[in-house]
Structures are given as C-alpha cells and as structure tokens.
Amino acid sequence: MQETIRLSALGRQFQRGDMAVQALDGLDLTIQSGEFVALVGPSGSGKSTLLNLLGGLDRPSTGELWADGVPLHMAGEKERTDHRRRRVGFIFQSFNLLPRLTALENVAVPLMLAGVEKSQRETRAAEMLRQVGLEHRLRHYPSEMSGGEQQRTAVARALIHKPALILADEPTGNLDSKTGAEVMGLLHALNEEQGITLVVVTHDADVAAYARRTVHLRDGQIVEITQKETAVLASESGGHELPPQVKRDRLHAGDILRSAFRNLGRRPVRNLLTAAGVLIGIITLVAMVSFGVGVQREVQRNFATIGLENIFVRPRFAEGDGFDPFADFEAATPITPEVVDEIRGLPRVVSVTPALSLPQGLDITLIVGDESLPVRISDSFGEARFGFARSNEPLAGESFAEGNSAGVVLVAGLADQLLQEDQTYEDLVGETATFILQLPRGETREFTSSILGVRDSFGRRTVDLGLAERVAMKAWWFGQPDIIQTEGYDALTVRATDLAYVPDLIETIEELDLQTQSLEAILDVANQVLTLLQVLLGSVGGLALLVAALGVANTMMMAIYERTREIGVLKALGASRGEIRALFTVEAAFIGLIGGFFGLIFGALLGRLADWIAHRYLINEGITGVGDLSIVPPWLALGALVFAALIGILAGLYPAARAARLDPVAALRHE
Ligand code: ADP
Ligand code: MG
C-alpha cells in the first residue's frame, strides 16, 4: 500500500496578539494513496488549518509532514508552490472561481499556470466540464451559474491537471442538500474510478458517510478515527493512474500579458484616469523634446546654410569716458576699405563682404521703365544674414555674390508690379533701375543701377541693394563723399576656408581692435539656451510623471486589495510568487503604456500646434522657409513608450511585491 501523506507530531501554532493559539497539536496520521478521508469536528477544531498544511498553503510550526515522500515541513516557497501546482487540487466552500473568467477559462487556469498552450488547455477544460455535466456552461461566467454549477466547475478545475490529491474544505457547505449530494457523488466517483486521494472537511454526517475513514478533530487534536469496514481502498481496486507528467513549465508571457490586460478592463474608468496622469507627463515630455529636436535641427540647418566658417566683424566703440551723453561714439578702428583689404589679405580668408545700412526713414522711389513705386531697402544684414535662411535660389537672374556687390535684387511681390503683360521675371533681369532719394529738406537725387535678379520672399516693397549703391546713397545723404574712408562700413562678414581656422582668424582680427562674432559661438549659446529650456520643461514633465507614478502605485494597491482573495486562489492553484508579481507588474506597465501611447499622440499634436503657431508668428515677422520646428523622431516615440511603461513598472514594483508576498491562507479568508 502506497502512502500519500504522513504526519507525525504535527503542530501549528498561531499568534493572536499576545496569546498563542494551538490550532493543531501533535497530529499523527497516515493517509494512503487513493483513500477517501473525511475530516470532521466542531468549528475551530483545526480542520481548515490541517487542510492548508496538506495543500502546502501553510507551513507547520512543529512536527513532520510528508507528501509523496517530500518533506513539506522543511519545504521552501518554491517546493510548496510546486506541490500545489502538481499534486494538489483545491475545492473551497465558497467555490472561489475567478469572477472575470468563464467556466472554461476558470477550469483551464491550473493548466495555464503549468504553461499549457491555450487551445490545448481549453480542449481539456471543455472535456473536464463535460465530465462534471457542464458542457452547456462553457462560456458562462460564475455569476451566471447556480451554486451547484459553480462548485462543479470548481471540481473540474481541481481535477484538470490530474492531481493525486484533492483537498476540499466543506465543499457542500454553501449548497442545498440535493446539490451537495450531487457534488459529493461526483467526488466519490472520482475517488473510486480514478483512485484520487480525497480529503474532505465537512460538518455534514451525510458527507462523511461517503468516506472510508473519518478523522475527528477537537481542539487541534485527533480524538477519534472511524473506519467503514465495507469500503474498499480505491487504489486496491484500480489504483490512481499516475498523472501524466504535466511539463513543469512557467506561466507563459503571452498569458501574463493577456491576463493583465483583461484585469485592466475590470476598472476601466479608474485605470484610464490613472493613465491620464502618465499621459500628461508624457505629453509635456514629448512636446518638449520634439520641439527641442525640431528647433535645434532647424537652427543648425540654417546656420549651416549661412556657414559656420563665417566671422562677423564690427567696429569696437570706445567706452564713453565720463558721463557726456552727447559724446560721439568713436569707432576704435573704422572698417575702412583699407581695413577690408587688409583682412582680405589675411591667409585662409575666402571672402570679405562689407555691410552698410542706410539711415532709417529714407524716402525712396524706384523707377523701372514706366513704373515708379515706393520701395524699402532691406537691411544689409539682419534678416538676410542672421535670420532663417531662405531658399537661396533666386527666381530669376542671380543674387548677390559674396564679396563686393552692386545691383538690385527685387522681391517677387515687387517684381510682379513691374511686369508688363506677357513678361516674366527673366525679362526684368538686366533692366535699368533708377532710385530717387529725397532728403527731408526736399532735395532729390537719382541713382541708377540695374536689376540683378528676383527672389522669393515676403512683402511687396523690399529691394536688396548692392554695396556700391549703398555707399553712394549714404555719402550723398550725409553730404560726405568720403564717408566710407573716414567712418567705414558697419560690419564685415569674413569667411574662412575652414571652420578650424576660425579661432585663429578671430584672434588676428581682434588684434586690429575690431569686435568679432562667429556663428559657432552664437550656435553654442543658442544650444545652451535650448538645452536649459529643455531641462526646465523636462523637469515639469518629470514632476508630472512622478505624480503619475504615485497614482499608478495607488491604483495598483487598490487593485490588489480588491483582488486579495483571487490572489489567494491563484496561489492555491499553483501560481508562484514570481508569477503573481509578474501579473501585477505587467498590469502596471500597461497603465503606463496606455498613458504613454496617448501622451505620445497628444504630445505630437501639441508639437504640431506649437509649430503652427510659431510659423504664423515667423511669417508675420516676414520670415519664411522655416522647416518643421517640432519633430518626433522614431527614437523619441519609442523612448516615450518605453519610458511610460517603465514608470508603470517602477510604480507597480512595490504593490506587485506585496501581492506576491501575500499569505495565501489569509488571502483566501479575505472578504
Ligand atoms: P476549523 O476549520 O476547524 O473551523 P480552523 O483550522 O480554521 O478551524 O482554526 C483552528 C483554530 O486556529 C481556531 O481557533 C482559529 O481561530 C485559529 N486560527 C486559524 N487561523 C488562524 C490565524 N491565521 N491566526 C490566528 N488564529 C488562527
Ligand atoms: Mg474551517
């Protein structure tokens, strides 16, 4: 005769406050394989405690407990989980089906925990349900079934993985006597036909009557064992066919994901609200980073078009000594043509382009052919040099070359007004352009030039004017023919052959007592400002995410509290700590991910909106040709999702660990 279970001097003591409760006190008992044992006794006599010990849900305080030769009294968490998963099937008084799973899915849970494929386990679960007479209830949820049907489902679940031992704690306690008798009949038949060892706790003498032996407990001790002579030990008549070794496998990742996702659907509003917290944080981060990336890229692109090898040179003005507000600011070194030539002569200099701005409020009329229009001279630097680059290709003719320049470039809007019928912009190129300047005191003068080209830009009045014309106009305006020789140009753009020579060149030029500025330096500052801005915005987003993480943690704590009993059931069915932890961590990750997903979408949209507003603004300022300012590169999209999921995982770590650590016995008692 094969023994399944042997207890010797088994004791279990509980601490209730200062008082020690001896729930079980020195039990000696051997249960044969295939035996049907009833545990009876008054309430509080220790029946459930014993059953929990047999099932590996609890560990004894003293004595020994052997199951199939395994010393459960010494077993660790892992061995006891293994014991539950492989050898034991639990049946509870209150059925303990998982409420959100159908009968079929409930029955399949032990197989899912054992890593059996979904289709395979559902086939087996359906077969099992057929055996307990529930083939018509496969897709029903527990709430849609009667107590008897639920308990039969629970019996099917306890049997699905072909355990050697079924432990039932008052399985008929919540059923009427007729249904109870049906369930007991079912268990009895299983014991007889398949030789499964059965230990049933009961109050009911009718139930106990099915058993071969009845163990009477009182105050944690065995007071009597009665035996039915007629009963045959099932294992002697047929014996329990050893369970086909369910491959010891883990809960599959796919099932973890699926279960976690389904569990989220149980509290959709709460979980969505929690996800909204993550969403807000992610929106901020995505919008900020995308804008940062876009602006940085655009700035760099524009600066690259202008050329990082450029050095801007301005005169240095002497500090006004004393407090004479009328003192003329005298340039230390005026940028006279000689100075320009000197710089041009320096090694590694490709070109030197002087810039000269005309006085404000100049009254200028342009005459081309028969047309005469008021015009505005574009600043020689400003938008053209420092602003965003326009398309450099002129619409017709050419634009100013580097170095010295002469001629006129018209903007398209102005050129349109000059075109005769059937004329194109090309026809304007080479035409004579006459400017008429008028001094405030009325004196006028004509300057002639010729049209160099037409360019695409904003406005209808702007002309770019060559340096030669500017010099002539300024000299006339101030009545000083040698104004350039004495006062010099306003600024120079010096282009070096290579970025590497810029620092040397800057040094040489500054030795001439001139001020310099290079795009590289400006770019550095721009990048620093941008980085600072990003860090600031990032902290806001980060703070939002911190709050969101607390929200996720809180939601998970609530979910775990609500599902404490289910966690107990899962553990009784063989779920390991790691699997429980994984289930809840993944659930938290999903909350983060959902928030991240929508945060990414809204963040990108917000970026587009900011982009649109910025473009409106820039166009109003007359700056066109600016690319996307808000860009969501793939790494940002992916990063945002990963980050959001990570927030969820981090926030879920502690709650999940708590769920994993829950004592299954206490969890099962949880209401
Ligand atoms: P039964 O199932 O026979 O009604 P139990 O096994 O549930 O009895 O309980 C036996 C005794 O142990 C009771 O006095 C009960 O109060 C006590 N007990 C059971 N579990 C705990 C626990 N976790 N903490 C403290 N006392 C407990
Ligand atoms: Mg009990």
Side-chain angles (χ1 to χ4, degrees), residues 43-44 46-49 93 169-170 201:
S43 180
K47 307 180 295 293
S48 296
T49 303
Q93 176 174 353
D169 197 344
E170 305 197 25
V201 168

Side-chain angles (χ1 to χ4, degrees), residues 85-86 103-112 114-132 138 153 155-163 242-247:
R85 188 179 296 206
R86 285 178 56 189
L104 190 73
E105 289 164 336
N106 260 293
V107 173
V109 167
L111 294 183
M112 178 175 91
V116 176
E117 213 59 56
K118 187 166 156 64
S119 60
Q120 199 189 336
R121 68 184 187 236
E122 295 206 333
T123 312
R124 279 169 67 181
E127 167 61 17
M128 212 64 231
L129 278 165
R130 197 188 56 72
Q131 281 185 33
V132 299
L138 303 186
T153 305
V155 170
R157 179 178 67 182
L159 290 169
I160 185 87
H161 56 305
K162 305 208 188 287
L242 276 175
Q245 205 62 31
V246 174
K247 203 166 118 260

Side-chain angles (χ1 to χ4, degrees), residues 281-293:
I282 294 290
I283 284 181
T284 325
L285 285 184
V286 167
M288 163 211 92
V289 177
S290 75
F291 213 56
V293 169

Side-chain angles (χ1 to χ4, degrees), residues 12-16 21-24 41-52 58 169-170 201 203 217 220 663 665-666 669:
R12 178 68 169 106
Q13 201 172 348
F14 291 110
Q15 204 65 36
R16 191 185 289 149
V21 180
Q22 195 71 36
L24 292 177
S43 180
S45 58
K47 307 180 295 293
S48 296
T49 303
L50 177 56
L51 214 62
N52 291 335
D58 193 14
D169 197 344
E170 305 197 25
V201 168
H203 276 312
L217 283 178
D663 169 29
V665 176
R669 250 207 305 266

Side-chain angles (χ1 to χ4, degrees), residues 16-66:
R16 191 185 289 149
D18 290 341
M19 218 175 49
V21 180
Q22 195 71 36
L24 292 177
D25 188 7
L27 302 193
D28 294 297
L29 182 68
T30 301
I31 297 173
Q32 307 296 336
S33 173
E35 203 178 351
F36 185 162
V37 176
L39 279 180
V40 299
S43 180
S45 58
K47 307 180 295 293
S48 296
T49 303
L50 177 56
L51 214 62
N52 291 335
L53 287 175
L54 296 179
L57 285 176
D58 193 14
R59 23 187 358 171
S61 315
T62 51
E64 293 183 5
L65 169 57
W66 296 80

Side-chain angles (χ1 to χ4, degrees), residues 151-213:
Q151 194 61 306
R152 278 190 281 162
T153 305
V155 170
R157 179 178 67 182
L159 290 169
I160 185 87
H161 56 305
K162 305 208 188 287
L165 175 64
I166 296 270
L167 300 171
D169 197 344
E170 305 197 25
T172 61
N174 282 6
L175 302 176
D176 60 68
S177 54
K178 182 172 162 288
T179 322
E182 273 171 33
V183 169
M184 278 319 296
L186 188 65
L187 288 175
H188 188 70
L190 286 167
N191 168 251
E192 300 245 288
E193 290 157 21
Q194 300 183 19
I196 296 175
T197 311
L198 206 54
V199 181
V200 179
V201 168
T202 186
H203 276 312
D204 192 338
D206 292 347
V207 171
Y210 287 97
R212 187 178 86 110
R213 271 201 300 170

